[in-house]
Amino acid sequence: MSSIIKVIKEQIDNFHLIRRLSIYELKSSNRNNYLGILWEFINPSIQIAIYWFVFGYVQSRPTIDGVNGQKIPFFIWMLSGIVLWFFIYPAITHGSKSIYSRLRMVSRMNFPLSAIPSYVVLSLLYPQLLLMVAVIIIFQFIGYPISIYYIQLPYFLFAAIIFLFSLSLITSTIATIVRDFQMLLQSLMRVLLYVTPILWPVHKLGDTFKFIMQLNPVYYLIEGYRYALLGQGWFITEHPAITIYFWGVVFLLLSIGSYMHVRFRRHFIDFL
């Protein structure tokens, strides 16, 4: 518990530094590209087109059954969930290598290492916000206007940030000590896309596999986004057990990640 308090205190005390570094990280990542931040829209657009063609058009899946029995076009259904994936995927992969890739730079500075995963995750939040705005605008013209259920979006985005930070504390610590872990994680992330109901409806697998899929914390975030963007209801109150489970997993990840980070960070310099 003391490790959690210490890590959280470091985030609060260095919030302004984290915010400035996140903006610098975003600018530096697009500095050498002619189109700059436009690539934050181009890359997702290309991937969405490919996924729609393979999982929607080729598989002849024109509509998906919604929660209330309505028929939702596959493209709309997929877009409402995959928009968050474009935040989750880079946050996990970049967060895992955030410390060891910057360790030499901060090794001689009085800098809290736990702030590094924070500002890396935060730097990816800005493109996510822009992408969300673009998706919301698209939805206004295709029959899914803004509704009161959009109130859930800030909550699920906050939940995603806490989840990703907690997970990054674990993965960044392991990746600093064992560099091969980064390669393993990238392979697992490719699998995660297909074992999370982003490209296909989970009810197709039956109740047993649906329960197994619900054990994945990303399921909670993706489905929460869908409920909000498609106006399907209040996911938090309609699925209280999954909500409690999700925050239990997040607290467990934060506990393990904080302990591992505080325990090993004094030895990080030995792995340069």
Side-chain angles (χ1 to χ4, degrees):
M1 193 66 181
S2 60
S3 298
I4 297 179
I5 296 174
K6 186 173 185 177
V7 168
I8 293 177
K9 186 175 184 300
E10 289 177 348
Q11 309 312 303
I12 296 174
D13 293 343
N14 297 276
F15 176 75
H16 295 293
L17 177 62
I18 292 172
R19 182 178 59 83
R20 291 198 301 269
L21 287 173
S22 67
I23 296 174
Y24 172 79
E25 180 77 10
L26 177 63
K27 291 180 179 178
S28 63
S29 63
N30 294 288
R31 183 174 50 197
N32 297 322
N33 299 327
Y34 287 110
L35 298 180
I37 199 170
L38 285 178
W39 281 108
E40 303 295 341
F41 294 95
I42 296 173
N43 278 331
S45 298
I46 294 173
Q47 293 182 55
I48 289 171
I50 294 172
Y51 293 143
W52 168 81
F53 179 77
V54 174
F55 293 93
Y57 180 76
V58 173
Q59 295 189 1
S60 300
R61 189 181 292 162
T63 61
I64 299 293
D65 295 330
V67 174
N68 300 319
Q70 74 272 35
K71 297 293 184 179
I72 304 173
F74 176 79
F75 177 77
I76 303 303
W77 179 87
M78 181 190 70
L79 186 60
S80 63
I82 203 171
V83 61
L84 185 60
W85 176 255
F86 293 119
F87 176 47
I88 292 175
Y89 176 81
I92 293 178
T93 55
H94 294 181
S96 64
K97 60 182 179 181
S98 59
I99 292 181
Y100 80 74
S101 62
R102 296 165 178 82
L103 191 57
R104 193 178 302 276
M105 178 180 64
V106 301
S107 60
R108 298 181 181 180
M109 300 169 56
N110 185 17
F111 185 83
L113 294 180
S114 65
I116 297 179
S118 293
Y119 82 74
V120 170
V121 171
L122 189 59
S123 70
L124 297 165
L125 175 63
Y126 307 125
Q128 169 66 16
L129 293 175
L130 293 175
L131 194 60
M132 280 180 57
V133 171
V135 169
I136 290 172
I137 292 174
I138 292 173
F139 276 24
Q140 306 315 299
F141 293 97
I142 54 179
Y144 292 88
I146 294 176
S147 66
I148 191 173
Y149 299 112
Y150 272 52
I151 297 175
Q152 300 172 98
L153 285 176
Y155 162 77
F156 283 107
L157 190 58
F158 172 77
I161 293 171
I162 301 301
F163 166 71
L164 293 170
F165 170 69
S166 302
L167 184 61
S168 294
L169 284 175
I170 298 176
T171 57
S172 62
T173 300
I174 298 176
T176 301
I177 299 173
V178 183
R179 299 296 170 82
D180 289 352
F181 177 77
Q182 180 66 26
M183 302 301 296
L184 174 62
L185 183 64
Q186 290 178 352
S187 299
L188 291 176
M189 288 304 298
R190 297 187 186 98
V191 175
L192 182 62
L193 174 64
Y194 297 102
V195 298
T196 304
I198 297 175
L199 304 174
W200 44 268
V202 69
H203 61 78
K204 292 287 186 180
L205 299 178
D207 292 339
T208 301
F209 282 99
K210 181 179 180 179
F211 173 76
I212 295 175
M213 291 298 102
Q214 290 175 343
L215 298 178
N216 177 2
V218 179
Y219 168 89
Y220 177 77
L221 301 172
I222 297 296
E223 287 299 300
Y225 253 54
R226 282 207 175 104
Y227 266 64
L229 290 172
L230 299 177
Q232 294 184 308
W234 302 100
F235 188 78
I236 304 171
T237 56
E238 293 180 20
H239 301 277
I242 304 178
T243 299
I244 295 172
Y245 168 77
F246 172 81
W247 286 109
V249 170
V250 169
F251 180 76
L252 179 62
L253 292 175
L254 183 60
S255 301
I256 296 174
S258 298
Y259 173 78
M260 291 178 61
H261 179 83
V262 173
R263 171 69 176 79
F264 291 104
R265 66 181 175 183
R266 71 189 65 172
H267 303 294
F268 283 166
I269 192 65
D270 298 333
F271 296 96
L272 274 176

